[in-house]
Amino acid sequence: MRHITLKTLVIILLLVMTVPVCAAVSDPAWRKARDSYDQLQKSPRKQQLRSEWERVLVQFVRYYEQNPKGVRAGEALFMAGKTLAGRYRISRVADDAWQAVAMYDRLAKDCPDSSLADDGLLLAADLLEKTLNAPEEAWLRYQRITKLFPSGDVAGQATAKLKELDRYAPRPEAAGEAEAVSPAPVAAESGTARLTGIRFWSNPGYTRVVLDLSTPARFTTNFLKADPVENLPPRLFFDITPATLDPVLKAPTIVDDGLLRRIRTGVPENGKVRVVLDLVSIGQHKVFPLNDPYRIIIDISGEKVAELKALEPSLQAPPPSVGTPPPSPTITAAQPQAKPQPEPQPEPQPAPQPAPQPAPRGDAIAKILDTVEPAPPPVIPARTAVSGLRRIVVDAGHGGKDPGAIGPNGVREKDVNLAIARKLAGKLRETLACDVVLTRDSDIYLPLEERTAIANKVGADLFISIHANAAINRQAYGIETYYLNFSKNDRAVAVAARENGTSIKEVGDLELILFDLMANSKINESSLLAAEIQKSLVEKLGERYDDVRDLGVRQGPFYVLLGATMPSVLVETAFISHTREEQRLNSRTFQEHSATAIALAVKNFALSHKLIASR
Ligand SMILES: [Zn+2]
């Protein structure tokens, strides 16, 4: 704790608790989480139930995720860590302690300005040293305290600990990244992938989860139906081999968006990482890998359910299991375990049940009715009179480390795309008076899956991805506009392979995935929008330039359009591989005219669309 002593914090907390009107009225979600935590502290009976700990944990994590920039963001993660540590003290399951460590790590990483960030690291280090028998990991946290929070009031303690644990300091040749979240214990083994990140986006019709891996790895997809006997939800799980797990990912990721409850990880055996998605109901799911960096994309679609509080088994003791393996004896005596293999997490088995005395029925019903507050919807401007369009996402293809195609004279596609996208955004704002969001407004790398996810997240009405074409044949030139569908010819496959950054064979695999996703995409509107844009570009550029060739509207399996819930197109304005068109693409005038033509097309599309709708 920096600047405030622990004693002061206790006094502040007491004040907050004794003067409930102050904080309570202004922040009911926080008050509710705190109340739940306090009640749990007072009830030894409740403490025997994993579901009770989980219930409190979820409230703090969700509070943080809904207020990640709020004044209590750090405190929420700190309390989540304390809840996990508290659960460990009862369960003595090493994995619970690891989860607490991961939560404290996350606090320091996500909220470095919080006055609790260093305290969290200290608690994490203490658990690692005394409970988890991982002094090397503890040493790293103590070091992080002294480096990041040198003026904090636990810095002295951390410095003393560093001396005491000196023999566990990373050796110079292995040290390299002492600042890293974890020291990558066995990731050095060649061919072993490390699961380094779990990201997700909740969208109206589907949820996208991305698993980030350090290198390509094999994975299997498995589905388990709900198990009413064990009170388990339907689960989708992935076994990745050979792989290791970043300890930071040991804490479950709470999603709770009506489709997906949460994502959790485990290491069922050495070299195998398991990722489990607890679903709300059975829906469709699509899984595909993307390269560079290697990652696994999981799209779960279905009707969102106004979710009942059913994260955990109800308070009733489950009846004796029939034909299913008995719950594993996870409430066991404390056994300090050496990393990186804490407590293999069996599956299916989200939470050890201590088989407590059954709670009164009324209590259970109250829990089940305790509904989850939905996340606030994104703010969407009112429909404008001009077009009925409220928000358009313009996507400048490629960026950062991915230059896209490069012309014979060195013009880079990523720069051209960004220039046109920026101009297009300006024109759209001008002519349609609607909100325009750029997926990137600078030379940064943005994974393909994130681009449509942004469009879905901000509730866009249209998604337009700007690109420049390329072909091995340097004579090829012209304009073409794509929408998402099965490719009709080999050229479309080649273009999709290039834009996806995949092989032609992988495009074939993608088409299989596409088959099921089609129902959700706006293919008809997308084809109309593509036709408007293509027509406008050919006409407007044809008025000013010689040899403008119309290659027509085409369809193909583009990753960047996959999962878009609004009409979406990909525009190939000209061939950067063609000397004349490369020169044009590089000129401000051509960029300007292209942007004007596309904006005009969007306006025409919107007007005719509105016209159709109002008939
Ligand atoms: Zn491109």
Side-chain angles (χ1 to χ4, degrees):
M1 160 126 6
R2 285 159 294 145
H3 316 304
I4 313 173
T5 65
L6 193 60
K7 207 185 281 174
T8 321
L9 179 80
V10 170
I11 292 165
I12 292 168
L13 287 178
L14 283 173
L15 280 173
V16 168
M17 282 187 279
T18 48
V19 192
V21 209
C22 298
V25 175
S26 59
D27 203 345
W30 179 256
R31 185 190 55 183
K32 194 158 166 271
R34 279 297 319 203
D35 283 355
S36 306
Y37 180 84
D38 295 341
Q39 279 164 20
L40 183 55
Q41 297 308 306
K42 282 185 230 146
S43 168
R45 185 185 66 80
K46 281 186 178 172
Q47 287 175 19
Q48 292 300 313
L49 294 170
R50 282 189 82 79
S51 55
E52 287 294 329
W53 291 100
E54 187 80 19
R55 200 169 68 82
V56 174
L57 172 68
V58 165
Q59 290 184 64
F60 284 122
V61 173
R62 189 180 301 135
Y63 182 90
Y64 168 72
E65 282 168 357
Q66 291 180 356
N67 310 276
K69 301 271 177 254
V71 288
R72 285 193 163 122
E75 200 180 344
L77 290 181
F78 185 77
M79 291 307 297
K82 285 194 56 145
T83 306
L84 286 162
R87 183 169 76 177
Y88 167 75
R89 279 193 296 277
I90 304 292
S91 74
R92 296 291 159 181
V93 175
D95 204 50
D96 286 347
W98 278 102
Q99 290 192 14
V101 170
M103 192 60 79
Y104 290 132
D105 279 349
R106 183 176 173 189
L107 162 63
K109 183 168 160 277
D110 289 4
C111 308
D113 295 332
S114 165
S115 63
L116 291 163
D118 53 352
D119 300 76
L121 283 176
L122 191 72
L123 291 173
D126 193 66
L127 276 171
L128 287 161
E129 184 192 344
K130 294 176 184 151
T131 302
L132 291 165
N133 195 24
E136 303 93 342
E137 290 277 345
W139 190 93
L140 289 169
R141 269 81 182 171
Y142 290 127
Q143 190 209 36
R144 217 172 297 160
I145 293 170
T146 57
K147 276 195 161 183
L148 300 178
F149 312 108
S151 56
D153 69 348
V154 300
Q157 220 175 318
T159 309
K161 275 288 177 186
L162 283 175
K163 265 186 211 132
E164 186 190 324
L165 299 177
D166 183 50
R167 65 186 182 283
Y168 298 108
R171 299 276 68 88
E173 66 273 18
E177 240 339 296
E179 205 55 78
V181 172
S182 94
V186 287
E189 287 171 33
S190 63
T192 297
R194 188 171 172 80
L195 181 64
T196 55
I198 296 177
R199 299 173 285 145
F200 71 91
W201 296 266
S202 296
N203 302 300
Y206 79 110
T207 301
R208 173 168 286 177
V209 177
V210 175
L211 310 179
D212 293 306
L213 291 155
S214 60
T215 59
R218 289 189 301 278
F219 67 93
T220 58
T221 306
N222 311 276
F223 182 75
L224 285 167
K225 278 192 277 190
D227 183 345
V229 175
E230 296 291 331
N231 216 337
L232 295 169
R235 283 140 294 157
L236 198 55
F237 70 93
F238 303 86
D239 281 342
I240 306 166
T241 49
T244 59
L245 179 64
D246 195 316
V248 160
L249 298 176
K250 289 184 138 292
T253 306
I254 311 294
V255 180
D256 266 349
D257 64 359
L259 275 176
L260 179 58
R261 287 172 184 169
R262 60 177 186 173
I263 307 159
R264 52 206 169 80
T265 56
V267 181
E269 61 191 66
N270 217 335
K272 180 191 278 186
V273 169
R274 177 167 292 170
V275 179
V276 185
L277 275 55
D278 287 332
L279 306 173
V280 173
S281 60
I282 301 170
Q284 283 195 336
H285 61 268
K286 288 296 141 219
V287 184
F288 55 95
L290 285 178
N291 288 314
D292 198 22
Y294 188 81
R295 57 216 194 269
I296 301 167
I297 320 289
I298 306 150
D299 281 347
I300 302 157
S301 55
E303 284 292 305
K304 291 214 168 178
V305 183
E307 196 186 2
L308 296 176
K309 177 65 192 161
L311 255 181
E312 281 298 305
S314 77
L315 293 176
Q316 289 175 294
S321 54
V322 183
T324 48
S328 67
T330 19
I331 298 280
T332 53
Q335 283 175 353
Q337 301 199 8
K339 68 176 182 65
Q341 283 304 312
E343 198 69 18
Q345 190 175 317
E347 172 61 29
Q349 218 311 97
Q353 272 300 92
Q357 60 276 52
R361 181 85 186 126
D363 201 2
I365 291 168
K367 290 289 173 302
I368 291 164
L369 292 180
D370 181 12
T371 51
V372 170
E373 305 91 323
V379 183
I380 293 176
R383 284 180 185 276
T384 60
V386 186
S387 61
L389 288 173
R390 294 163 299 182
R391 183 170 283 165
I392 300 172
V393 167
V394 176
D395 172 50
H398 312 278
K401 66 179 184 182
D402 169 18
I406 296 176
N409 295 303
V411 176
R412 299 179 303 184
E413 186 195 346
K414 65 172 183 177
D415 301 327
V416 171
N417 295 343
L418 181 59
I420 296 176
R422 278 182 177 150
K423 291 185 167 63
L424 175 58
K427 306 270 178 209
L428 289 170
R429 287 187 192 111
E430 252 170 56
T431 53
L432 293 171
C434 67
D435 191 19
V436 181
V437 176
L438 284 164
T439 53
R440 67 175 179 98
D441 195 13
S442 59
D443 185 18
I444 55 160
Y445 173 75
L446 198 60
L448 292 174
E449 72 274 12
E450 203 159 317
R451 299 171 185 252
T452 29
I454 289 172
N456 289 331
K457 187 134 203 156
V458 301
D461 295 317
L462 298 179
F463 177 81
I464 303 169
S465 188
I466 303 292
H467 289 259
N469 222 328
I472 296 168
N473 172 12
R474 288 272 168 98
Q475 308 307 313
Y477 69 95
I479 304 165
E480 53 190 10
T481 308
Y482 282 88
Y483 63 96
L484 181 71
N485 207 335
F486 295 103
S487 51
K488 285 278 161 65
N489 62 39
D490 290 351
R491 240 193 61 66
V493 171
V495 173
R498 186 172 49 75
E499 297 295 8
N500 292 341
T502 58
S503 68
I504 300 230
K505 188 209 161 281
E506 283 171 308
V507 172
D509 297 342
L510 182 60
E511 295 207 304
L512 295 175
I513 295 161
L514 203 58
F515 185 75
D516 285 331
L517 276 176
M518 298 286 238
N520 296 328
S521 60
K522 300 253 190 324
I523 289 187
N524 198 32
E525 288 102 319
S526 298
S527 75
L528 294 173
L529 175 62
E532 286 286 357
I533 290 177
Q534 179 68 17
K535 182 166 84 103
S536 181
L537 276 171
V538 171
E539 272 177 23
K540 296 291 153 202
L541 294 174
E543 287 168 11
R544 290 177 174 82
Y545 296 89
D546 293 334
D547 286 325
V548 167
R549 184 186 277 173
D550 181 4
L551 297 175
V553 170
R554 292 167 186 270
Q555 32 186 298
F558 292 89
Y559 277 132
V560 71
L561 302 180
L562 209 60
T565 53
M566 72 292 302
S568 54
V569 296
L570 184 144
V571 185
E572 301 275 8
T573 43
F575 277 71
I576 205 165
S577 51
H578 186 276
T579 314
R580 184 184 64 230
E581 296 208 333
E582 177 194 28
Q583 206 177 356
R584 284 181 187 171
L585 282 166
N586 202 28
S587 89
R588 291 177 60 96
T589 330
F590 183 86
Q591 295 166 359
E592 195 84 24
H593 289 316
S594 301
T596 308
I598 298 170
L600 193 69
V602 171
K603 187 176 178 183
N604 287 339
F605 167 80
L607 289 175
S608 57
H609 204 65
K610 196 184 168 195
L611 217 68
I612 293 162
S614 64
R615 261 179 213 156

